[in-house]
Amino acid sequence: MTLYIGENLKKQRKLRELTQEQLADIIGVSFQSVSKWERNEGYPDIETLPTIAGYFGITVDELMGMDRIKDTSEVDNILKTVSENAVMGRIEENITLLEEAVKRFPNDYRLLSEYAHYLTFVNWNREGEAFRKNCLKAIDVCERILAECTDNRIRNTAQVTLCYSYQNAGQHEKAVEEVKKLPFMWESSEVVGENVLEGDELLNLRQINVVGLTELLYISLVGMSREDDPRFTPQQKIAIEQKAIAVYEIIFDKGDYNYYAHNLSYAYRQIALIAILEGDRGLALESLEKSAEYAIAQDELPDEKPYTSLPVNRLVYKRENTMTNNRGSFSEELLKHMAMSRYDMIRNEPRFRAVEERLKNMG
């Protein structure tokens, strides 16, 4: 538990325009003791606390900052609930919870940062006036955080959220301006840590970097294969998706994709869509089967599972550290996707129906 004695002691002393030496004389301790307390390098003993509080005309609880400790504990509980909701895809509940929380704790930047994040996370389709209004709210919150908060981690998160919020609210130029303010990859803790950390801490960072860079490669590759991008032919888009899959297969050579199985499911799903447009029934069906395989693997994950492939064998998948904006399972999501009219050309194929049946059985 964090006590706020040093901060409150310094505040009360300055209100009375006392030096540390003068306060030390008044309460009968050494100057070094007062200095140490104000630097939070120690606390007054239990007999001295009432003397200090009595001199300043406040309670011992006020001197210790018990109200703030209580508030911090309550905020911690709120954030724990937010995290639990995120795992279950309860994003709307988080927005409501955080909306009320920031009214009660208007100066808690952790809550404000989470609130802004969930406002932009609720609808990945980025459609509708409600979503635009959420983004405008998030912009206001992030701009306030950047104007007032001094915690670098919270500021960095707010800056990233601001980029997405501007973009999703149709303010492209402002989004680009904010992107240019972000640090380059080579200035990140992940890269700098490679040259500063040592031992197990360095090895853990390197494995985290391997996973992070693998996902970044996947995102960039899949982004290049978008259906509406005319710069690549359908066959090239299929080849790009296959390269994205190959990246994961190289790193997770033991097939222990765990959290990243849903990325493979999505990549195969996209290949199936493009294959249908090209009239390649065989590839479409094969890709749907693979997509279902990985969707089911994702749904069957336990709450915790270690990675075993050599480049990531110190890492552990934990459901509590994940978040989704989908209340249903990945199998249900794929089933809904397969209901698209585009699949009508293969809907009556026995292999298609077998995939449907397998996914339905997951329910």
Side-chain angles (χ1 to χ4, degrees), residues 90-276:
R90 297 170 179 164
I91 307 305
E92 292 86 354
E93 284 91 332
N94 274 349
I95 291 177
T96 301
L97 175 63
L98 289 164
E99 199 163 46
E100 292 302 314
V102 297
K103 290 177 183 177
R104 294 178 55 207
F105 306 101
N107 297 316
D108 192 292
Y109 297 111
R110 291 183 300 163
L111 289 175
L112 288 167
S113 177
E114 289 291 297
Y115 180 45
H117 169 68
Y118 281 100
L119 284 170
T120 61
F121 188 72
V122 66
N123 182 354
W124 280 110
N125 293 324
R126 301 179 175 87
E127 296 175 351
E129 184 59 21
F131 179 62
R132 182 176 175 278
K133 287 181 179 178
N134 278 350
C135 289
L136 293 175
K137 285 182 187 177
I139 288 170
D140 288 341
V141 173
C142 289
E143 288 179 342
R144 182 189 162 195
I145 291 172
L146 292 174
E148 300 175 3
C149 181
T150 58
D151 186 304
N152 284 333
R153 284 189 176 274
I154 295 176
R155 288 177 59 83
N156 290 343
T157 300
Q159 198 168 10
V160 171
T161 303
L162 189 57
C163 292
Y164 290 125
S165 300
Y166 276 140
Q167 181 70 8
N168 294 333
Q171 300 180 34
H172 177 69
E173 290 184 3
K174 286 189 174 181
V176 171
E177 185 180 332
E178 285 302 317
V179 166
K180 291 179 179 178
K181 294 178 184 177
L182 294 171
F184 290 104
M185 179 175 70
W186 301 108
E187 298 168 357
S188 69
S189 61
E190 289 81 4
V191 174
V192 177
E194 285 274 0
N195 299 295
V196 175
L197 301 181
E198 297 176 346
D200 285 348
E201 196 173 11
L202 175 58
L203 180 55
N204 289 339
L205 174 70
R206 284 176 170 163
Q207 293 206 354
I208 290 170
N209 284 350
V210 166
V211 170
L213 290 171
T214 300
E215 186 161 25
L216 179 58
L217 274 173
Y218 164 84
I219 291 169
S220 295
L221 288 166
V222 168
M224 284 192 283
S225 65
R226 284 174 45 187
E227 287 184 63
D228 58 353
D229 192 331
R231 290 169 291 186
F232 295 97
T233 67
Q235 287 302 320
Q236 287 175 326
K237 290 175 182 177
I238 289 174
I240 291 172
E241 292 280 358
Q242 289 171 336
K243 288 184 184 297
I245 293 167
V247 169
Y248 276 110
E249 290 175 341
I250 290 170
I251 300 301
F252 300 92
D253 56 293
K254 292 189 176 180
D256 53 332
Y257 302 106
N258 294 358
Y259 172 77
Y260 301 98
H262 70 276
N263 283 350
L264 294 174
S265 178
Y266 179 81
Y268 278 112
R269 192 174 86 182
Q270 292 305 103
I271 292 174
L273 282 176
I274 300 170
I276 286 174

Side-chain angles (χ1 to χ4, degrees), residues 29 33 45 50 82 115 122 146 218 248 275 281 292 298 318:
V29 297
S33 293
D45 59 45
V82 166
Y115 180 45
V122 66
L146 292 174
Y218 164 84
Y248 276 110
R281 291 169 174 260
Q298 182 81 37
K318 293 183 179 181

